[in-house]
Amino acid sequence: MKNRILGGIVPIVLGALIAVGPQTFAHVCEVHEGKMPMACHYTAQAALGIGIVIAVLGLIALFVDGRIRAGINIAVALLGALVIAVPTVLIGVCKGAMMHCHMVTLPTLIVLGVLTIVFAAIDVALDARHAK
Amino acid sequence: MLLDVNDLTREFIRRGKTFAAVDHVSLTLDSGQLLAIVGRSGNGKSTLLNMICGLLRPTSGTVTIDGVRVDVLNDRELSRLRNRTIGFVTQGQTLLANLTVIDNVMLPATFFPADPASHTILDPRPASTSDDPIRVRAMALLESLGVADLAESYPRELSGGEMRRVSIARALINEPKLVIADEPTGDLDAQSTEIVMRLLRRVADDGAAVLMVTHDADALPYADRVYTMDAGRLAERDTANHGV
Amino acid sequence: MSDSPARRRITPASLPIENLRRRPFRTTALTVVVTILSVAFFGGSMLTLNLKEGLASMERRLGADLMVVPQATSSKAEALLTNGNPSTFYFTRDVAGQVSKADGIAEATSQTYIASLAAACCDEKLQIIGFNPSTDFVIEPWVASQYDKTLQRGEMIVGASVNVSVDGTVELYGRTWPVVAQLANTGTSLDNSAFISNDTVPQMVEASARVSHRAMPKEYADTAVSSVLIKVKEGYDAQTVAENIKRLNPEFASLGFVYPGGVTASTKTSLDTLTGYLAVFITALWIMGLIVLLAVFGSSVNERKKEFASLRIMGATRGMLVGIIIRESAMIGLFGGVIGVLASSLFIFPFSGYIGNRLQLPYLQVGLPAILAMMAITIVLATLVGMAASVLCVVRLGRPEAYLTLREGE
């Protein structure tokens, strides 16, 4: 039961935050009409996709046994690394240190990514031990 | 003579009045003997046992175990004596709840790892953990007590009789010369009582001195000698007529 | 239940780990208490250190004793010094010229401030500061450490937060400006500034005009000055010089006078108030936490009397018992401390820019050695508070004949 919360509910919540965050409370810079969207716009799009995948994996993890849940959480941990990589190396955010996406979106995604990795790793450790 | 209790007295003060919980008690016990002390609770039996193993200082009198005066030892020496020379079979549930049965049994063997008096078979630093001699010995003891299959269980999964047997295994892990058993058959059914008492008898026959406190008449036939304790005073009873 | 049978021996040294593992609820609850304490301590300390660092950096950057600014713009000028938003204000150069003739002035130089629009798609608002390289005594000294040539027309020196493209230019008002140097982080709004020489100001204003919004009217472009920065002569104080300036011309009485020393002092005051409240809050939290831990560990002595008595009867020395209890609580302190430091680091460091922005106070991340030292101090304190919690137990067990028999424990 405890593992179900850790391996299922936690990824659902974190995935939702990763997907929604850059669109709402940790929003990126607006795209002005007729102008080229900035890097942070694409970062937000990528985060939306990855976040949804993480949440869906968490949903699946609710209905499977320990071994499969451990496997799902390995995937979730790797996606967590992707959440960190997108705003830092893969796509990036606006360079200006005072820009909202640099100041809020970037750290928010890093924190959510780290939390995703940590919790998924704990779940893998627990599930793998009990599945023996 | 392995145990020599000489004129032992312990006084307590209760409601301003001094009274002797143990009153000028003397007794001796040799290796290979099983001695039982009977008496109602509150008659000083526990106080006596606590003084014998040095947990309680006597008001007067002496306790000598294996030629060593218990009352002059410091805490470390006393602890070593309790660990190496004495094996204590406790009444009730005194196994450590957080350890498995096998770890409970092994624990006393790890207290003094650098101790030169350690038994030769118990190499304190085994090369590999798979054939840890302490583990091997603990398993052998559990085997001989018929509870080897419970080795990886936790105490709360055990019945009273099983716990008592594990507690005996724990008392025997360091091959003690003196085994003290406090109500070893208390709250056990007849079958378990028989198993436990046969075991204690065998321990005595194998050369240890066994001192048992009990109020269970079924336990008495196994004893070589029976004493009664009444209001802190000890008296020998004729072994021919046991029946309480 | 019998997962992975422990193949290693349990000894008095490893017994505490087993006790913690087998009581996950109690262990978690106690660890959470210590974690909260260490988050508060580490977070509060880092905040305080960073604010102090920001203030020190601000003090180093303020070379003037007095700033004369146009009417009703003092607060904007103060914001420039601390950590406020960019702004534009100005009067004319002849006012500046007259002001600098007042008695008691050792050095005077003028600066022009322009707040740029967020020009290119990826740029934020910049504070443009035009200064006069021939009379400047404020910016040059610290710019000199990174750029020792004279700033040419059209060239720029930018603060640490300004986004410089790879070819060494900044895009502003639809054109690119060569950047000759980028300055180190100061934790103030200067990080978001571009420094240009006075001669570049009209060029900048023209450029702004072309991109729809004119930064200032054309007729002012050549003569606008936003502030006169003054260093007073030995023996004069800033207030006296301000009075002297007001006496020069009755109109000058309406000018704004900013005392950077006073700005520093008032920033320091609000910072001290903030850190003071923080310290009181953290202390109160730690006292409450210690009481909770003391209560839990204290009550566990009675609860665990039997366990200790049975260890004793097996031959554990008093020292072993004390060791088991101390190690158990120290481990909880250590876990809580480490988790607390990691958790707060996860928020403090990535969000450093955001925190500074919200506080509107100079906020500069201290260096790695200070961070590591603070982490170590937090973990040590958390471990100590864990150990302190078991002191009552230890005292009770230390008494000779403190507990007696297994039967009495029942």
Side-chain angles (χ1 to χ4, degrees), chain B residues 46 50 75 98 124 132 182, chain C residues 9 19 312 314 318 405 407:
Chain B
S46 287
N50 278 303
D75 181 57
N98 296 329
D132 180 346
D182 189 2
Chain C
R9 277 181 201 167
N19 287 341
R312 200 88 170 99
M314 280 189 259
R318 220 170 263 146
T405 65
R407 287 182 173 184

Side-chain angles (χ1 to χ4, degrees), chain C residues 385-398:
Chain C
V385 84
M387 287 165 73
S390 63
V391 146
L392 284 185
C393 296
V394 170
V395 168
R396 284 169 80 167
L397 286 178

Side-chain angles (χ1 to χ4, degrees), chain B residues 46 50 57 75 79 82-83 90-91 94 98-99 103 110-111 123-124 126 132 134-135 154 170 182-183, chain C residues 6-7 9-10 12 18-19 22 306-307 310 312-318 320 401 404-407:
Chain B
S46 287
N50 278 303
R57 298 266 175 203
D75 181 57
S79 299
R82 276 198 290 278
N83 185 254
T90 52
Q91 70 164 349
T94 61
N98 296 329
L99 299 188
D103 286 329
T110 66
F111 280 7
D123 175 7
D132 180 346
I134 296 179
R135 185 174 296 275
Y154 283 89
R170 184 175 69 179
D182 189 2
E183 303 283 5
Chain C
R7 281 289 138 224
R9 277 181 201 167
I10 306 290
E18 223 54 31
N19 287 341
R22 291 290 302 170
K306 226 168 167 183
E307 179 188 338
S310 99
R312 200 88 170 99
I313 220 139
M314 280 189 259
T317 62
R318 220 170 263 146
M320 283 181 201
E401 299 183 5
L404 302 174
T405 65
L406 292 163
R407 287 182 173 184

Side-chain angles (χ1 to χ4, degrees), chain C residues 330-342:
Chain C
M331 260 185 243
I332 285 177
L334 185 67
F335 293 157
V338 170
I339 297 172
V341 165
L342 290 180

Side-chain angles (χ1 to χ4, degrees), chain C residues 31-322:
Chain C
T31 307
V32 165
V33 172
V34 182
T35 302
I36 292 170
L37 297 189
S38 62
V39 164
F41 182 80
F42 184 69
S45 307
M46 286 316 297
L47 203 64
T48 307
L49 285 180
N50 292 346
L51 286 170
K52 292 227 161 94
E53 183 81 1
L55 183 72
S57 148
M58 184 177 107
E59 276 174 330
R60 284 197 295 276
R61 301 289 174 259
L62 292 176
D65 302 313
L66 177 64
M67 272 172 89
V68 184
V69 295
Q71 193 175 358
T73 57
S74 320
S75 58
K76 282 187 187 169
E78 281 178 16
L80 285 184
L81 297 175
T82 57
N83 201 358
N85 292 319
S87 50
T88 308
F89 52 85
Y90 44 86
F91 44 38
T92 55
R93 191 163 284 169
D94 47 313
V95 176
Q98 285 183 48
V99 162
S100 36
K101 291 200 183 73
D103 185 32
I105 295 176
E107 281 184 85
T109 187
S110 57
Q111 290 185 351
T112 312
Y113 307 131
I114 303 169
S116 87
L117 283 182
C121 73
C122 240
D123 281 320
E124 69 253 60
K125 253 176 141 178
L126 277 185
Q127 178 69 56
I128 297 159
I129 300 180
F131 67 101
N132 183 346
S134 54
T135 58
D136 176 78
F137 59 94
V138 184
I139 293 167
E140 288 274 323
W142 57 280
V143 168
S145 61
Q146 283 162 79
Y147 183 71
D148 53 4
K149 284 179 285 213
T150 317
L151 200 56
Q152 296 302 310
R153 207 162 210 253
E155 286 178 347
M156 239 179 214
I157 294 171
V158 296
S161 312
V162 177
N163 172 23
V164 181
S165 44
V166 274
D167 59 352
T169 61
V170 163
E171 198 186 328
L172 200 59
Y173 293 136
R175 59 163 282 192
T176 53
W177 307 78
V179 171
V180 293
Q182 189 155 24
L183 302 168
N185 212 347
T186 67
T188 67
S189 54
L190 292 178
D191 292 341
N192 199 32
S193 301
F195 301 91
I196 55 176
S197 97
N198 268 356
D199 332 332
T200 319
V201 173
Q203 223 178 320
M204 189 66 77
V205 173
E206 268 323 297
S208 77
R210 274 199 300 277
V211 194
S212 83
H213 176 85
R214 184 170 263 279
M216 59 177 79
K218 189 180 173 66
E219 58 271 29
Y220 281 106
D222 293 327
T223 59
V225 162
S226 302
S227 83
V228 179
L229 292 100
I230 290 163
K231 184 176 235 163
V232 300
K233 269 189 199 151
E234 198 93 7
Y236 287 82
D237 66 23
Q239 277 80 0
T240 319
V241 175
E243 289 308 314
N244 293 344
I245 292 169
K246 285 177 193 164
R247 237 173 281 137
L248 285 173
N249 183 333
E251 282 177 28
F252 289 178
S254 63
L255 290 175
F257 294 90
V258 176
Y259 306 95
V263 174
T264 317
S266 69
T267 307
K268 207 182 168 103
T269 310
S270 54
L271 193 148
D272 284 346
T273 316
L274 183 70
T275 54
Y277 279 126
L278 213 57
V280 170
F281 172 73
I282 293 170
T283 312
L285 199 68
W286 274 66
I287 291 171
M288 286 192 304
L290 187 60
I291 291 171
V292 169
L293 293 174
L294 273 173
V296 173
F297 275 95
S299 67
S300 71
V301 174
N302 285 327
E303 184 189 309
R304 297 173 68 181
K305 212 169 177 176
K306 226 168 167 183
E307 179 188 338
F308 296 142
S310 99
L311 279 167
R312 200 88 170 99
I313 220 139
M314 280 189 259
T317 62
R318 220 170 263 146
M320 283 181 201
L321 280 198
V322 169

Side-chain angles (χ1 to χ4, degrees), chain B residues 82-89 101-111 118-122 132-142 145 165-179 203, chain C residues 9 314-315:
Chain B
R82 276 198 290 278
N83 185 254
R84 294 293 173 197
T85 312
I86 304 175
F88 208 112
V89 180
V101 162
I102 184 83
D103 286 329
N104 260 292
V105 175
M106 288 167 68
L107 190 62
T110 66
F111 280 7
S118 287
H119 304 266
T120 44
I121 59 155
L122 300 182
D132 180 346
I134 296 179
R135 185 174 296 275
V136 171
R137 175 162 165 73
M139 275 315 288
L141 280 168
L142 289 174
L145 291 163
R165 279 187 266 173
V166 172
S167 151
I168 292 173
R170 184 175 69 179
L172 298 181
I173 188 75
N174 282 338
E175 297 186 327
K177 291 180 179 167
L178 173 62
V179 173
V203 169
Chain C
R9 277 181 201 167
M314 280 189 259

